[in-house]
Amino acid sequence: MTKHTVPTRMQMAPSLPGPHEGYMPGFGNDYETEALPGALPQGMNSPQTCNYGLYGEQLSGTAFTAPSHQNERTWCYRIRPSVKHSHRYEKIDVPFWKSAPNVDPDVTSLGQYRWDPVPHTDEKLTWVTGMRTMTTAGDVNTQVGMASHIYLVTESMEDDYFFSADSELLVVPQEGVLRFSTELGIIDLEPKEIAIIPRGLLYRVEVLEGPARGFVCENYGQKFELPGRGPIGANCMANPRDFKAPVAAYEDREVPSTVTVKWCGQFHKTNIGQSPLDVVAWHGNYAPVKYDLRTYCPVGAILFDHPDPSIFTVLTAPSGQPGTANIDFVLFRERWMVAEDTFRPPWYHKNIMSELMGNIYGQYDAKPKGFIPGGMSLHNMMLPHGPDKNAFEGASNADLKAEKLDNTMSFMFETRFPQHLTTFAADEAPLQDDYIDCWSDIEKKFDGTPGKK
Ligand SMILES: [Fe+2]
């Protein structure tokens, strides 16, 4: 018997996923799980000897002295200590995965940009070699800021493992199904789900259905957490129970293997003689999780006006300044529009934060055309943007009955830092040169006549 409990499925709405085997519910819970009975010490972390001859090891996700409500660590009981999975390192070249600061003097990041989906090619690409950085912000060495990536994955990693010491990764699949076999268990991930892979956690990515494409937000800073709901109260938005951490799963496999490490923006490889996924039991609150975006409960205007997009925040990664995030992950999903006497799409605006958007599926309400699934857009710090003419005219003249925005799921990685385009984003990715022209036919209507529309 395992220590983790999987809730009994009793009743659920037909379109919503239920609890399922292999995962434990909760966000930042004090999870405990063991793949072999009695592998997890009880009542203490570091017994003189561990059952099965396992080694006890702590993985610290925050400083030892971080405030209690933020302190995260996990105790692992493993076949070998991690130091056996880390030998001499040699630098390797991973040319398309960039880290901040990465400013190409020949690239202009000041602008409004939009891209079509980055296409697959015949090239065989893994999770590491298939990462294509689009933007970077902040500085990886001082642990502030982020990078946004597109991944194009066709091949499973075989006896090859990876971890990032620089960052936690927020993974947003758009196409294909991936398996993240991690030290702490297995996460299968498909479109409409997201996963958070913590800093320092070793894993291997396999393709269950390919080719796979998606978006990654690489967070150099403080971890993602659930935003405070304020007066909204104890429910709605992203609810903690809908996050799922994997149960323990281990490999006892002695084969020549490699571990690739991203460390201070550079990549290194080390050779080892076994699978490093050898954690038989663990407990703690520093763990990978996945989350089904269909369980996000949006809250919005129910009489008039259009709230700030922060109302749709799923996760926030704080910076040192309260309320000014290193990164917000914001979701624009299906919802009802009911506001009266209101221009319902996003309004025109300029924002001190930098907004990178991606389309998971469907059509986005501020841009009926051109922002397609797999595509991205960037509205950088203090660059004006808003609805195109079609969206403006349509919303200004619409019959304002209750309307369901259906078949739509887009997201935003919003950061307090300006985002710099990589050379790949500027020169190789399918940039829409005419994007800025979507506002060119907006008319001047004003002629001094009161009541004119
Ligand atoms: Fe915006």
Side-chain angles (χ1 to χ4, degrees):
M1 290 293 290
T2 53
K3 285 282 179 188
H4 62 270
T5 57
V6 177
T8 308
R9 180 162 159 173
M10 296 182 73
Q11 196 174 6
M12 63 183 196
S15 61
L16 293 179
H20 48 289
E21 200 145 350
Y23 299 94
M24 302 175 283
F27 187 88
N29 280 12
D30 201 9
Y31 307 102
E32 67 171 9
T33 172
E34 59 185 10
L36 293 175
L40 194 64
Q42 292 298 315
M44 63 187 304
N45 296 323
S46 194
Q48 186 175 18
T49 58
C50 297
N51 205 358
Y52 296 100
L54 298 172
Y55 290 85
E57 179 176 296
Q58 182 174 228
L59 173 60
S60 292
T62 55
F64 296 139
T65 47
S68 297
H69 69 280
Q70 292 174 332
N71 207 307
E72 293 196 12
R73 62 86 181 92
T74 283
W75 275 92
C76 302
Y77 301 91
R78 57 194 313 157
I79 297 171
R80 296 176 181 82
S82 286
V83 71
K84 292 290 288 181
H85 306 319
S86 176
H87 205 244
R88 289 184 178 81
Y89 290 95
E90 61 169 304
K91 276 188 188 169
I92 60 169
D93 201 19
V94 181
F96 290 100
W97 190 333
K98 303 291 188 188
S99 295
N102 180 259
V103 181
D104 181 339
D106 296 325
V107 167
T108 303
S109 295
L110 178 73
Q112 303 95 333
Y113 294 106
R114 194 166 66 188
W115 294 266
D116 285 326
V118 178
H120 295 285
T121 67
D122 293 338
E123 195 177 358
K124 293 182 175 177
L125 297 169
T126 67
W127 178 250
V128 176
T129 60
M131 204 65 75
R132 299 283 177 271
T133 307
M134 298 292 289
T135 66
T136 65
D139 186 340
V140 73
N141 284 292
T142 50
Q143 301 186 343
V144 293
M146 57 159 276
S148 69
H149 313 282
I150 291 276
Y151 65 80
L152 302 168
V153 182
T154 61
E155 305 295 312
S156 297
M157 296 163 73
E158 290 179 12
D159 302 321
D160 188 20
Y161 303 84
F162 173 75
F163 77 88
S164 171
D166 287 345
S167 46
E168 69 175 343
L169 301 187
L170 172 64
V171 184
V172 185
Q174 187 260 325
E175 189 180 89
V177 182
L178 296 176
R179 168 166 290 173
F180 293 78
S181 295
T182 81
E183 288 176 286
L184 301 185
I186 297 169
I187 287 180
D188 289 343
L189 197 66
E190 61 185 32
K192 304 176 189 173
E193 296 179 317
I194 58 169
I196 301 174
I197 310 296
R199 186 191 296 256
L201 189 74
L202 263 158
Y203 60 98
R204 176 183 71 226
V205 180
E206 292 144 273
V207 181
L208 300 185
E209 283 177 30
R213 178 172 57 208
F215 311 91
V216 170
C217 181
E218 185 179 2
N219 175 15
Y220 306 143
Q222 192 175 320
K223 292 168 71 330
F224 278 108
E225 57 189 48
L226 294 173
R229 296 189 187 87
I232 292 171
N235 301 288
C236 297
M237 304 169 70
N239 290 299
R241 65 171 286 227
D242 296 320
F243 289 81
K244 313 286 181 190
V247 298
Y250 70 94
E251 297 176 351
D252 183 11
R253 203 152 52 87
E254 296 183 2
V255 289
S257 303
T258 58
V259 177
T260 299
V261 183
K262 180 175 190 285
W263 198 88
C264 292
Q266 295 184 318
F267 291 82
H268 310 73
K269 191 163 267 197
T270 187
N271 295 307
I272 59 174
Q274 64 285 326
S275 167
L277 307 183
D278 63 357
V279 176
V280 177
W282 60 271
H283 79 86
N285 59 353
Y286 189 66
V289 288
K290 75 169 181 174
Y291 172 74
D292 191 320
L293 294 169
R294 289 165 291 192
T295 65
Y296 184 82
C297 177
V299 173
I302 55 172
L303 190 57
F304 64 89
D305 263 352
H306 183 112
D308 292 330
S310 48
I311 195 77
F312 298 141
T313 302
V314 182
L315 293 159
T316 186
S319 73
Q321 189 172 338
T324 303
N326 185 34
I327 309 161
D328 283 326
F329 173 64
V330 182
L331 182 71
F332 306 98
R333 66 159 303 184
E334 295 87 351
R335 59 200 183 274
W336 281 90
M337 308 289 272
V338 298
E340 299 171 354
D341 191 23
T342 291
F343 183 77
R344 289 178 175 174
W347 16 251
Y348 295 102
H349 71 132
K350 287 168 68 174
N351 189 354
I352 190 170
M353 308 283 278
S354 300
E355 306 175 3
L356 185 126
M357 288 189 64
N359 188 338
I360 300 169
Y361 65 80
Q363 180 177 301
Y364 179 63
D365 60 333
K367 302 277 168 31
K369 290 180 183 169
F371 181 48
I372 61 176
M376 302 179 89
S377 69
L378 174 66
H379 301 112
N380 228 332
M381 178 178 68
M382 283 301 176
L383 270 294
H385 55 284
D388 59 24
K389 185 187 174 188
N390 280 345
F392 179 84
E393 295 298 340
S396 300
N397 297 296
D399 176 17
L400 292 182
K401 57 183 189 303
E403 182 195 2
K404 179 91 180 280
L405 278 187
D406 230 335
N407 186 34
T408 185
M409 187 175 276
S410 298
F411 68 86
M412 179 162 66
F413 302 148
E414 185 179 36
T415 173
R416 63 177 299 183
F417 301 105
Q419 298 191 41
H420 294 274
L421 269 62
T422 58
T423 310
F424 174 81
D427 296 341
E428 294 186 49
L431 187 65
Q432 298 177 3
D433 290 330
D434 60 350
Y435 173 48
I436 198 165
D437 299 331
C438 78
W439 296 291
S440 61
D441 54 358
I442 294 175
E443 298 164 342
K444 175 190 170 190
K445 298 170 186 288
F446 176 84
D447 64 3
T449 309
K452 174 156 184 157
K453 291 186 178 175

